[in-house]
mmCIF file with all atom_site columns, all heavy atoms in Angstrom:
data_model
loop_
_atom_site.group_PDB
_atom_site.id
_atom_site.type_symbol
_atom_site.label_atom_id
_atom_site.label_alt_id
_atom_site.label_comp_id
_atom_site.label_asym_id
_atom_site.label_entity_id
_atom_site.label_seq_id
_atom_site.pdbx_PDB_ins_code
_atom_site.Cartn_x
_atom_site.Cartn_y
_atom_site.Cartn_z
_atom_site.occupancy
_atom_site.B_iso_or_equiv
_atom_site.pdbx_formal_charge
_atom_site.auth_seq_id
_atom_site.auth_comp_id
_atom_site.auth_asym_id
_atom_site.auth_atom_id
_atom_site.pdbx_PDB_model_num
ATOM   1  N N   . SER A 1 124 ? -51.581 68.085 -113.410 1.00 0.00 ? 124 SER A N   1
ATOM   2  C CA  . SER A 1 124 ? -51.175 67.485 -112.131 1.00 0.00 ? 124 SER A CA  1
ATOM   3  C C   . SER A 1 124 ? -52.392 67.244 -111.231 1.00 0.00 ? 124 SER A C   1
ATOM   4  O O   . SER A 1 124 ? -52.289 66.574 -110.203 1.00 0.00 ? 124 SER A O   1
ATOM   5  C CB  . SER A 1 124 ? -50.103 68.311 -111.432 1.00 0.00 ? 124 SER A CB  1
ATOM   6  O OG  . SER A 1 124 ? -50.485 69.646 -111.373 1.00 0.00 ? 124 SER A OG  1
ATOM   7  N N   . TYR A 1 216 ? -45.765 81.225 -102.908 1.00 0.00 ? 216 TYR A N   1
ATOM   8  C CA  . TYR A 1 216 ? -44.629 81.898 -103.551 1.00 0.00 ? 216 TYR A CA  1
ATOM   9  C C   . TYR A 1 216 ? -44.463 83.345 -103.075 1.00 0.00 ? 216 TYR A C   1
ATOM   10 O O   . TYR A 1 216 ? -43.671 84.093 -103.652 1.00 0.00 ? 216 TYR A O   1
ATOM   11 C CB  . TYR A 1 216 ? -44.821 81.903 -105.081 1.00 0.00 ? 216 TYR A CB  1
ATOM   12 C CG  . TYR A 1 216 ? -45.011 80.540 -105.725 1.00 0.00 ? 216 TYR A CG  1
ATOM   13 C CD1 . TYR A 1 216 ? -45.878 80.378 -106.805 1.00 0.00 ? 216 TYR A CD1 1
ATOM   14 C CD2 . TYR A 1 216 ? -44.322 79.410 -105.284 1.00 0.00 ? 216 TYR A CD2 1
ATOM   15 C CE1 . TYR A 1 216 ? -46.056 79.138 -107.412 1.00 0.00 ? 216 TYR A CE1 1
ATOM   16 C CE2 . TYR A 1 216 ? -44.497 78.176 -105.886 1.00 0.00 ? 216 TYR A CE2 1
ATOM   17 C CZ  . TYR A 1 216 ? -45.365 78.039 -106.949 1.00 0.00 ? 216 TYR A CZ  1
ATOM   18 O OH  . TYR A 1 216 ? -45.539 76.824 -107.551 1.00 0.00 ? 216 TYR A OH  1
ATOM   19 N N   . TYR A 1 246 ? -58.051 78.700 -104.794 1.00 0.00 ? 246 TYR A N   1
ATOM   20 C CA  . TYR A 1 246 ? -57.011 78.308 -105.755 1.00 0.00 ? 246 TYR A CA  1
ATOM   21 C C   . TYR A 1 246 ? -57.061 76.808 -105.973 1.00 0.00 ? 246 TYR A C   1
ATOM   22 O O   . TYR A 1 246 ? -56.844 76.031 -105.051 1.00 0.00 ? 246 TYR A O   1
ATOM   23 C CB  . TYR A 1 246 ? -55.617 78.710 -105.234 1.00 0.00 ? 246 TYR A CB  1
ATOM   24 C CG  . TYR A 1 246 ? -54.528 78.621 -106.285 1.00 0.00 ? 246 TYR A CG  1
ATOM   25 C CD1 . TYR A 1 246 ? -54.464 79.532 -107.325 1.00 0.00 ? 246 TYR A CD1 1
ATOM   26 C CD2 . TYR A 1 246 ? -53.561 77.617 -106.229 1.00 0.00 ? 246 TYR A CD2 1
ATOM   27 C CE1 . TYR A 1 246 ? -53.455 79.458 -108.290 1.00 0.00 ? 246 TYR A CE1 1
ATOM   28 C CE2 . TYR A 1 246 ? -52.553 77.546 -107.193 1.00 0.00 ? 246 TYR A CE2 1
ATOM   29 C CZ  . TYR A 1 246 ? -52.515 78.465 -108.220 1.00 0.00 ? 246 TYR A CZ  1
ATOM   30 O OH  . TYR A 1 246 ? -51.527 78.399 -109.172 1.00 0.00 ? 246 TYR A OH  1
ATOM   31 N N   . LEU A 1 250 ? -55.644 76.310 -114.189 1.00 0.00 ? 250 LEU A N   1
ATOM   32 C CA  . LEU A 1 250 ? -56.013 77.651 -114.635 1.00 0.00 ? 250 LEU A CA  1
ATOM   33 C C   . LEU A 1 250 ? -57.456 77.727 -115.126 1.00 0.00 ? 250 LEU A C   1
ATOM   34 O O   . LEU A 1 250 ? -58.189 78.653 -114.797 1.00 0.00 ? 250 LEU A O   1
ATOM   35 C CB  . LEU A 1 250 ? -55.030 78.082 -115.742 1.00 0.00 ? 250 LEU A CB  1
ATOM   36 C CG  . LEU A 1 250 ? -55.297 79.404 -116.432 1.00 0.00 ? 250 LEU A CG  1
ATOM   37 C CD1 . LEU A 1 250 ? -55.291 80.562 -115.463 1.00 0.00 ? 250 LEU A CD1 1
ATOM   38 C CD2 . LEU A 1 250 ? -54.266 79.628 -117.537 1.00 0.00 ? 250 LEU A CD2 1
ATOM   39 N N   . TYR A 1 266 ? -50.848 84.943 -111.762 1.00 0.00 ? 266 TYR A N   1
ATOM   40 C CA  . TYR A 1 266 ? -49.653 84.108 -111.736 1.00 0.00 ? 266 TYR A CA  1
ATOM   41 C C   . TYR A 1 266 ? -48.498 85.021 -112.131 1.00 0.00 ? 266 TYR A C   1
ATOM   42 O O   . TYR A 1 266 ? -48.168 85.183 -113.298 1.00 0.00 ? 266 TYR A O   1
ATOM   43 C CB  . TYR A 1 266 ? -49.736 82.890 -112.659 1.00 0.00 ? 266 TYR A CB  1
ATOM   44 C CG  . TYR A 1 266 ? -48.802 81.792 -112.151 1.00 0.00 ? 266 TYR A CG  1
ATOM   45 C CD1 . TYR A 1 266 ? -49.297 80.588 -111.685 1.00 0.00 ? 266 TYR A CD1 1
ATOM   46 C CD2 . TYR A 1 266 ? -47.428 81.997 -112.078 1.00 0.00 ? 266 TYR A CD2 1
ATOM   47 C CE1 . TYR A 1 266 ? -48.457 79.615 -111.156 1.00 0.00 ? 266 TYR A CE1 1
ATOM   48 C CE2 . TYR A 1 266 ? -46.581 81.038 -111.559 1.00 0.00 ? 266 TYR A CE2 1
ATOM   49 C CZ  . TYR A 1 266 ? -47.097 79.848 -111.102 1.00 0.00 ? 266 TYR A CZ  1
ATOM   50 O OH  . TYR A 1 266 ? -46.256 78.903 -110.580 1.00 0.00 ? 266 TYR A OH  1
HETATM 51 P P1  . LIG B 2 .   ? -49.862 71.546 -114.703 1.00 0.00 ? 401 LIG B P1  1
HETATM 52 O O1  . LIG B 2 .   ? -50.515 71.323 -116.055 1.00 0.00 ? 401 LIG B O1  1
HETATM 53 O O2  . LIG B 2 .   ? -48.419 71.173 -114.654 1.00 0.00 ? 401 LIG B O2  1
HETATM 54 O O3  . LIG B 2 .   ? -50.674 70.964 -113.584 1.00 0.00 ? 401 LIG B O3  1
HETATM 55 O O4  . LIG B 2 .   ? -49.835 73.138 -114.494 1.00 0.00 ? 401 LIG B O4  1
HETATM 56 C C1  . LIG B 2 .   ? -51.025 73.805 -114.438 1.00 0.00 ? 401 LIG B C1  1
HETATM 57 C C2  . LIG B 2 .   ? -50.790 75.264 -114.617 1.00 0.00 ? 401 LIG B C2  1
HETATM 58 O O5  . LIG B 2 .   ? -50.134 75.529 -115.834 1.00 0.00 ? 401 LIG B O5  1
HETATM 59 C C3  . LIG B 2 .   ? -52.088 76.069 -114.526 1.00 0.00 ? 401 LIG B C3  1
HETATM 60 O O6  . LIG B 2 .   ? -53.197 75.370 -114.983 1.00 0.00 ? 401 LIG B O6  1
HETATM 61 C C4  . LIG B 2 .   ? -52.181 76.412 -113.071 1.00 0.00 ? 401 LIG B C4  1
HETATM 62 O O7  . LIG B 2 .   ? -52.911 77.572 -112.845 1.00 0.00 ? 401 LIG B O7  1
HETATM 63 C C5  . LIG B 2 .   ? -50.748 76.559 -112.659 1.00 0.00 ? 401 LIG B C5  1
HETATM 64 O O8  . LIG B 2 .   ? -49.988 75.754 -113.548 1.00 0.00 ? 401 LIG B O8  1
HETATM 65 C C6  . LIG B 2 .   ? -50.483 76.091 -111.261 1.00 0.00 ? 401 LIG B C6  1
HETATM 66 O O9  . LIG B 2 .   ? -49.133 76.239 -110.961 1.00 0.00 ? 401 LIG B O9  1
HETATM 67 P P2  . LIG B 2 .   ? -48.580 76.167 -109.464 1.00 0.00 ? 401 LIG B P2  1
HETATM 68 O O10 . LIG B 2 .   ? -48.679 74.743 -109.030 1.00 0.00 ? 401 LIG B O10 1
HETATM 69 O O11 . LIG B 2 .   ? -47.178 76.678 -109.547 1.00 0.00 ? 401 LIG B O11 1
HETATM 70 O O12 . LIG B 2 .   ? -49.442 77.077 -108.615 1.00 0.00 ? 401 LIG B O12 1
#
Side-chain angles (χ1 to χ4, degrees):
S124 50
Y216 304 144
Y246 193 72
L250 175 60
Y266 205 115

